[in-house]
C-alpha cells in the first residue's frame, strides 16, 4: 500500500490565503478549506461574508469548527517532509544543518566557521569559544553551502560588500580589484537592505490595502448603481403605467363618445322610421280609397269626392335626410390633442430623470485664458466671459483663437463622461459645445463634427441650430435660460439640454472620439451692447443640488 506521503502533496494541504500548510483547518459550507485564523481575518477585513475561492455569499457568518481529518493529514505531512510552520514574525524557520565533527549521532549545528569551512554543534564549538586563535575565526549562523560564503579568488570569507559593483568581496579584494571602491561590511549593507526590504514591504502592504479598499469601493459603487438602477426602473415603470392609464382613459372617453353618437343616430333613425311608417300608413289608406272610387259605378259620388282624394296627404321631403355613419372629426382631434398632451407630460418626466442622472457627471469647468480670443474678457475665477469693445494686446500663442471670439475650458477629457451648464440668459447669440484638442484655432472656423467641433448656437434672438452636417434647425417651445452639455466619450455622444424646462435640445450620436475633448464657449460679438450679457458657467454645487 502506498504511504500517505506518496499520496499527498503540499498543494493539496495548502491554505489558499496564506499559501502555507493548513493550521487549524476549517471548512466553509461550499466545501473549501482554509486556516481558521486566515479565514477570520479575511472576513474581518471585508464587508461581505463570502468564500475567498468561489465567492459564494453567506447570509451570516458560518460557525467554524476545526476539520480534524484534514488537521491530522496536515500534521502528518509536516512530520514526514520536515516542514516547519511559519513563525509569528513571518520568517520561515531555518533548515536543519548538522555538525561536521560528530561521528556517530549527528547533532544540529550551532555555528559555521568560514575559516575552518565547517559547522559545529554546541559541544564541538567549544574550542572556538576558548582558544584565542580560534576566537578570531569568522563564525556565522549554520549554513550548508559554506563555499558560497568564501571568495573563490582569494579563498577568504566574503566579509565586505562593494556598492560600486554590487557584489560581495573579501578583505583582499578591497586592496586589489575593488581598491578605492565604496565598500562596507556585509553586516552594514545587510542592515541597510533589511531596512529597504521593510520599506518595500510597507509599500507593498500599503498597495495591498489600497487595492482592498478599491475592491470595497468598487463593490460599494456596484451596490449604489444597483439601488439607483432599481429606483430608475421603478420611476420608468410608473411613467409608462401613467402613460398607459392615460391612453386607456382617452380610449375609453373616445369609445364613450362614439357609443353616444351611435345611440343618438339610432334614436334619430327610430324617429325617422316612425314618421316614415306613419306616412306609409296614410299613403296606403289613400291608395285604398283611390282604388275603391276608381271601381265605383256611382259617377256623381266619384265627382264629388275626387277633389279631396286627388290631393296627396301631407308628407315630408326625405330626399336629403340621412344618418351620418362617420365619427365627428372634432372628437378625433380632441382625443389626439389630449393624448399628445399626456405623452408630452410623461416624456418630460423621462427627460427630467435623464437630466438628473447625467448631472451627476458635472465637472468644474474653468475657462483657459491662453485660448481666449483677444476680444474676450474673462472673470478672475474663469467662470464668466463677455466680448469687449476692443481687441486686447495678447500674445498670439498656438492655442489662442485669433479670429473667432471663443474660448476653451482648461481641462480636457479623453474618457468617461462629463457635463457642464452655462447660463445664456439675456443673450441674442451664442455658441456652446465641445471641440477636440487639435481643432483649428486660427482664422475662420466651421463648427462641424468633421472639423472636430460638436455644438449648437443661437442667432437673431430666436434662431437655434445644431451645427451637424447638414445643419439642423431647432424648433424650441421656449428660449433656454440655461443650457447643459453632456458628453459620453466611449459612447460617442454629445447631448444638449434646456435645464430649467427639463427638455432635450439635440444630440450628436455615433461619433468617434480619439483625442481630448474641451468645453467650447463663445459669447459672440457685442453687437453694440445688444449682446453684452455674459455667458456664466454654473458651479458644480449648483448643478448637482
Amino acid at each position: 500500500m502506498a504511504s500517505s506521503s506518496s499520496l499527498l502533496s503540499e498543494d493539496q494541504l495548502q491554505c489558499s490565503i496564506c499559501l502555507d500548510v493548513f493550521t487549524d483547518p476549517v471548512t466553509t459550507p461550499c466545501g473549501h478549506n482554509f486556516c481558521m485564523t486566515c479565514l477570520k481575518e479575511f472576513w474581518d477585513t471585508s464587508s461581505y461574508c463570502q468564500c475567498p475561492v468561489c465567492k459564494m455569499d453567506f447570509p451570516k457568518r458560518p460557525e467554524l469548527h476545526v476539520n480534524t481529518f484534514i488537521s491530522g493529514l496536515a500534521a502528518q505531512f509536516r512530520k514526514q517532509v520536515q516542514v516547519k510552520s511559519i513563525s509569528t514574525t513571518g520568517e520561515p524557520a531555518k533548515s536543519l544543518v548538522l555538525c561536521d565533527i560528530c561521528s556517530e549521532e549527528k547533532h544540529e549545528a550551532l555555528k559555521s566557521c568560514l575559516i575552518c569551512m565547517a559547522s559545529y554543534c554546541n559541544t564541538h564549538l567549544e574550542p572556538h569559544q576558548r582558544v584565542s586563535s580560534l576566537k578570531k575565526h569568522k563564525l556565522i549562523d549554520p549554513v550548508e553551502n559554506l563555499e558560497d560564503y568564501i571568495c573563490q579568488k582569494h579563498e577568504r570569507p566574503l566579509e565586505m560588500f562593494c556598492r560600486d559593483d554590487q557584489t560581495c568581496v573579501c578583505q583582499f579584494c578591497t586592496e586589489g580589484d575593488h581598491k578605492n571602491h565604496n565598500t562596507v561590511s556585509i553586516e552594514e549593507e545587510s542592515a541597510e537592505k533589511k531596512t529597504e526590504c521593510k520599506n518595500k514591504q510597507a509599500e507593498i502592504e500599503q498597495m495591498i490595502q489600497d487595492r482592498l479598499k478599491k475592491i470595497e469601493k468598487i463593490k460599494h459603487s456596484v451596490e449604489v448603481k444597483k439601488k439607483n438602477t432599481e429606483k430608475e426602473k421603478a420611476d420608468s415603470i410608473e411613467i409608462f403605467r401613467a402613460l398607459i392609464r392615460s391612453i386607456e382613459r382617452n380610449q375609453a372617453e373616445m369609445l364613450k363618445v362614439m357609443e353616444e353618437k351611435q345611440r343618438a343616430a339610432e334614436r334619430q333613425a327610430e324617429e325617422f322610421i316612425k314618421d316614415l311608417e306613419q306616412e306609409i300608413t296614410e299613403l296606403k289608406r289613400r291608395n285604398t280609397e283611390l282604388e275603391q272610387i276608381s271601381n265605383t259605378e256611382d259617377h256623381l259620388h266619384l265627382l264629388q269626392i275626387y277633389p279631396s282624394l286627388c290631393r296627396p296627404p301631407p308628407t315630408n321631403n326625405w330626399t336629403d335626410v340621412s344618418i351620418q355613419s362617420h365619427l365627428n372629426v372634432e372628437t378625433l382631434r380632441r382625443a389626439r390633442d389630449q393624448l399628445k398632451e399626456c405623452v408630452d407630460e410623461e416624456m418630460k418626466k423621462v427627460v427630467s430623470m435623464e437630466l438628473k442622472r447625467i448631472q451627476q457627471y458635472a465637472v468644474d469647468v474653468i475657462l483657459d485664458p491662453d485660448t481666449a480670443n483677444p476680444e474676450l474678457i474673462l472673470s478672475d475665477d474663469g467662470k464668466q466671459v463677455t466680448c469687449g469693445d476692443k481687441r486686447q494686446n495678447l500674445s498670439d500663442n498656438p492655442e489662442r483663437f485669433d479670429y473667432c471670439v471663443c474660448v476653451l475650458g482648461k481641462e480636457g477629457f479623453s474618457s468617461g463622461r462629463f457635463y457642464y451648464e452655462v447660463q445664456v440668459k439675456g443673450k441674442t447669440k451664442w455658441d456652446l459645445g465641445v471641440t477636440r484638442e487639435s481643432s483649428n484655432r486660427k482664422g475662420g472656423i466651421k463648427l462641424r463634427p468633421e472639423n472636430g467641433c460638436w455644438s449648437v448656437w443661437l442667432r437673431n434672438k430666436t434662431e437655434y441650430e445644431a451645427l451637424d452636417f447638414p445643419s439642423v434647425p431647432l424648433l424650441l417651445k421656449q428660449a433656454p435660460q440655461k443650457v447643459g452639455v453632456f458628453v459620453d466619450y466611449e459612447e460617442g455622444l454629445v447631448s444638449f439640454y434646456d435645464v430649467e424646462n427639463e427638455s432635450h435640445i439635440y444630440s450628436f450620436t455615433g461619433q468617434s472620439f480619439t483625442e481630448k475633448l474641451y468645453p467650447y464657449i463663445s459669447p459672440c460679438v457685442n453687437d453694440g451692447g445688444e449682446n453684452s450679457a455674459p455667458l456664466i458657467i454654473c458651479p458644480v454645487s449648483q448643478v448637482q443640488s
Side-chain angles (χ1 to χ4, degrees):
M1 180 181 292
S3 66
S4 60
S5 61
S6 64
L7 295 175
L8 297 175
S9 67
E10 186 174 359
D11 290 340
Q12 293 172 304
L13 297 171
Q14 188 180 69
C15 172
S16 60
I17 298 177
C18 67
L19 303 180
D20 195 15
V21 178
F22 289 122
T23 301
D24 295 332
V26 293
T27 304
T28 58
C30 56
H32 294 102
N33 301 299
F34 309 89
C35 299
M36 179 181 286
T37 302
C38 294
L39 186 57
K40 285 183 176 180
E41 288 179 354
F42 178 84
W43 282 344
D44 289 341
T45 59
S46 174
S47 58
Y48 299 92
C49 187
Q50 61 178 203
C51 174
V53 174
C54 67
K55 307 302 181 185
M56 176 183 285
D57 291 322
F58 306 123
K60 63 178 183 178
R61 184 176 291 196
E63 187 175 354
L64 301 176
H65 299 284
V66 175
N67 189 319
T68 56
F69 177 74
I70 297 177
S71 180
L73 290 178
Q76 186 178 5
F77 181 82
R78 287 194 192 93
K79 182 178 180 181
Q80 290 174 343
V81 299
Q82 297 181 343
V83 174
K84 294 187 178 180
S85 301
I86 300 300
S87 66
T88 56
T89 60
E91 297 179 356
K94 298 174 182 177
S95 61
L96 184 64
V97 178
L98 301 179
C99 178
D100 292 326
I101 308 302
C102 293
S103 57
E104 296 180 357
E105 183 181 354
K106 292 284 188 179
H107 292 91
E108 183 179 353
L110 184 63
K111 291 290 183 180
S112 294
C113 178
L114 295 180
I115 303 300
C116 302
M117 293 296 291
S119 298
Y120 303 100
C121 65
N122 188 42
T123 301
H124 294 109
L125 183 64
E126 188 271 337
H128 281 77
Q129 298 171 335
R130 176 173 50 81
V131 180
S132 299
S133 59
L134 295 179
K135 286 183 178 180
K136 298 178 180 180
H137 287 194
K138 180 70 173 179
L139 297 178
I140 61 173
D141 290 333
V143 294
E144 292 180 348
N145 52 336
L146 278 169
E147 62 276 4
D148 292 342
Y149 292 77
I150 300 298
C151 175
Q152 298 299 313
K153 182 177 181 181
H154 302 107
E155 297 184 353
R156 298 290 297 173
L158 296 172
E159 300 176 301
M160 308 295 289
F161 183 81
C162 178
R163 288 178 172 174
D164 292 344
D165 296 331
Q166 290 293 299
T167 185
C168 295
V169 296
C170 69
Q171 189 64 43
F172 288 170
C173 291
T174 62
E175 299 171 0
D177 295 341
H178 296 269
K179 189 176 181 181
N180 299 325
H181 285 193
N182 182 13
T183 57
V184 295
S185 67
I186 284 181
E187 289 79 7
E188 181 181 346
E189 185 66 19
S190 176
E192 187 171 320
K193 288 295 189 287
K194 284 183 179 180
T195 302
E196 291 179 4
C197 286
K198 289 186 180 297
N199 293 337
K200 289 292 183 183
Q201 186 181 8
E203 290 179 10
I204 292 174
E205 288 177 354
Q206 185 60 49
M207 291 172 66
I208 293 172
Q209 292 303 316
D210 290 344
R211 280 151 182 76
L212 288 173
K213 289 180 181 178
K214 189 65 176 180
I215 290 173
E216 292 303 314
K217 187 175 181 180
I218 292 172
K219 289 180 179 179
H220 178 69
S221 298
V222 171
E223 287 301 312
V224 171
K225 174 65 176 174
K226 184 178 180 180
K227 291 179 182 178
N228 290 340
T229 300
E230 291 300 322
K231 184 179 184 305
E232 290 173 4
K233 285 167 61 177
D235 292 342
S236 299
I237 290 171
E238 181 55 36
I239 287 173
F240 281 102
R241 282 177 178 170
L243 189 57
I244 291 171
R245 288 195 297 268
S246 176
I247 293 174
E248 290 175 344
R249 184 170 61 252
N250 276 271
Q251 180 189 40
E253 290 176 356
M254 191 166 68
L255 290 176
K256 182 180 179 182
V257 171
M258 293 172 67
E259 290 169 357
E260 289 177 351
K261 286 186 175 292
Q262 176 64 26
R263 286 193 291 270
E266 290 174 356
R267 288 194 298 270
Q268 187 181 41
E270 288 175 357
E271 292 175 0
F272 286 162
I273 291 171
K274 182 178 179 181
D275 292 343
L276 285 167
E277 287 176 343
Q278 289 177 351
E279 290 185 1
I280 290 171
T281 300
E282 184 63 27
L283 290 171
K284 284 182 177 180
R285 186 182 64 77
R286 180 61 58 87
N287 188 48
T288 300
E289 291 176 348
L290 289 172
E291 182 179 1
Q292 291 174 350
I293 199 169
S294 64
N295 295 324
T296 186
E297 295 295 331
D298 189 345
H299 304 295
L300 177 62
H301 179 66
L302 184 150
L303 293 175
Q304 288 176 339
I305 65 173
Y306 179 77
S308 61
L309 293 177
C310 69
R311 294 193 300 272
T315 59
N316 295 318
N317 183 5
W318 296 95
T319 303
D320 297 327
V321 174
S322 64
I323 302 299
Q324 298 294 331
S325 60
H326 61 276
L327 188 64
N328 191 296
V329 175
E330 179 62 23
T331 303
L332 280 172
R333 186 196 63 76
R334 188 165 56 252
R336 181 201 65 196
D337 291 345
Q338 289 176 350
L339 183 59
K340 184 177 183 302
E341 181 180 347
C342 177
V343 171
D344 289 345
E345 185 64 28
E346 295 305 321
M347 287 304 298
K348 186 175 181 180
K349 293 179 182 178
V350 173
V351 175
S352 177
M353 289 172 52
E354 178 183 344
L355 191 56
K356 284 182 173 61
R357 187 165 62 250
I358 65 176
Q359 283 175 334
Q360 299 174 7
Y361 300 99
V363 294
D364 185 22
V365 174
I366 297 176
L367 300 177
D368 185 358
D370 291 336
T371 66
N373 180 281
E375 294 184 28
L376 296 182
I377 300 173
L378 274 58
S379 62
D380 292 338
D381 61 0
K383 293 290 187 179
Q384 298 187 30
V385 57
T386 56
C387 186
D389 296 323
K390 62 180 181 179
R391 191 177 182 88
Q392 302 173 79
N393 185 19
L394 300 175
S395 61
D396 187 20
N397 52 288
E399 295 81 17
R400 190 180 305 283
F401 291 91
D402 65 350
Y403 181 78
C404 295
V405 285
C406 49
V407 62
L408 303 184
K410 279 188 176 182
E411 184 181 359
F413 303 87
S414 56
S415 64
R417 301 166 179 170
F418 66 93
Y419 173 83
Y420 71 96
E421 289 180 359
V422 180
Q423 180 179 306
V424 297
K425 183 178 181 180
K427 301 290 290 180
T428 60
K429 58 176 68 174
W430 47 257
D431 305 346
L432 287 178
V434 293
T435 186
R436 65 190 179 201
E437 188 172 23
S438 65
S439 61
N440 185 29
R441 313 285 177 92
K442 306 301 179 182
I445 300 173
K446 290 186 177 180
L447 303 179
R448 291 179 178 176
E450 60 265 33
N451 295 330
C453 191
W454 296 265
S455 61
V456 297
W457 73 15
L458 166 67
R459 293 294 184 270
N460 301 322
K461 297 183 180 180
T462 59
E463 298 174 7
Y464 297 91
E465 197 170 347
L467 304 178
D468 210 332
F469 186 74
S471 296
V472 180
L474 303 173
L475 303 177
L476 307 182
K477 292 182 179 179
Q478 294 176 289
Q481 303 298 300
K482 190 183 295 182
V483 176
V485 183
F486 173 68
V487 176
D488 188 326
Y489 196 95
E490 283 73 22
E491 194 70 21
L493 172 70
V494 182
S495 295
F496 298 83
Y497 296 86
D498 181 338
V499 177
E500 294 186 354
N501 291 321
E502 295 185 327
S503 60
H504 175 254
I505 295 176
Y506 188 77
S507 285
F508 295 87
T509 59
Q511 307 299 305
S512 180
F513 304 133
T514 57
E515 301 179 28
K516 275 189 176 182
L517 298 180
Y518 289 83
Y520 170 90
I521 296 175
S522 173
C524 297
V525 295
N526 202 324
D527 281 346
E530 186 178 358
N531 189 40
S532 60
L535 289 178
I536 304 174
I537 300 172
C538 302
V540 173
S541 58
Q542 180 181 330
V543 171
Q544 296 179 341
S545 61

